[in-house]
Amino acid sequence: MSDPTTLLKPKTVTKTERPKLYKVILLNDDFTPREFVTAVLKRIFRMTRDEAYGVMLTAHQKGACVVAVYTKEVAEEKAKEGTEAGRTNGFPLTFTTEKEA
Ligand code: TYC
């Protein structure tokens, strides 16, 4: 015979939502030196020299480039760090974040 406690037990449905991801976007400007942009990408986004150069060049030519995708907090922190690195050195370098579709 079935155990009545088992019969009465409500089914537990566990739904684990994946964390929403945010893009960090590098914006072009006319003043920040290319080498500075590349150095920031290497340091803050842990890119190789070639990766950093490619991202910098795409932003330079197209106006913007997606740098990487992270959880909200990490994306916002990295964008802030990158933008602050520019300000500290007197450059208008800007990183923004955008929620992934
Ligand atoms: N356009 C800048 C220059 O010619 C270089 C640059 C590239 C700046 C990418 C920002 O996101 C950027 N010095």
Side-chain angles (χ1 to χ4, degrees), residues 3-101:
D3 172 358
T5 57
T6 306
L7 282 173
L8 291 171
K9 211 171 177 181
K11 280 206 186 100
T12 309
V13 181
T14 308
K15 263 190 153 182
T16 310
E17 302 271 343
R18 273 181 283 113
K20 293 181 179 56
L21 296 176
Y22 283 69
K23 293 178 276 198
V24 175
I25 299 162
L26 168 66
L27 303 181
N28 185 39
D29 68 72
D30 291 339
F31 303 100
T32 309
R34 290 173 173 224
E35 303 72 43
F36 186 84
V37 180
T38 305
V40 168
L41 290 170
K42 281 161 65 180
R43 181 165 63 82
I44 296 173
F45 297 93
R46 308 207 165 284
M47 290 187 172
T48 64
R49 189 191 44 153
D50 288 0
E51 286 167 346
Y53 188 79
V55 167
M56 179 282 296
L57 202 61
T58 300
H60 177 72
Q61 290 169 344
K62 304 201 170 201
C65 183
V66 175
V67 178
V69 173
Y70 302 103
T71 55
K72 188 171 197 282
E73 290 71 23
V74 176
E76 284 171 356
E77 182 56 31
K78 294 224 178 225
K80 188 168 140 250
E81 274 185 55
T83 301
E84 275 174 9
R87 291 306 167 279
T88 302
N89 290 275
F91 300 128
L93 181 67
T94 302
F95 292 86
T96 61
T97 62
E98 192 181 293
K99 195 173 170 196
E100 280 232 297

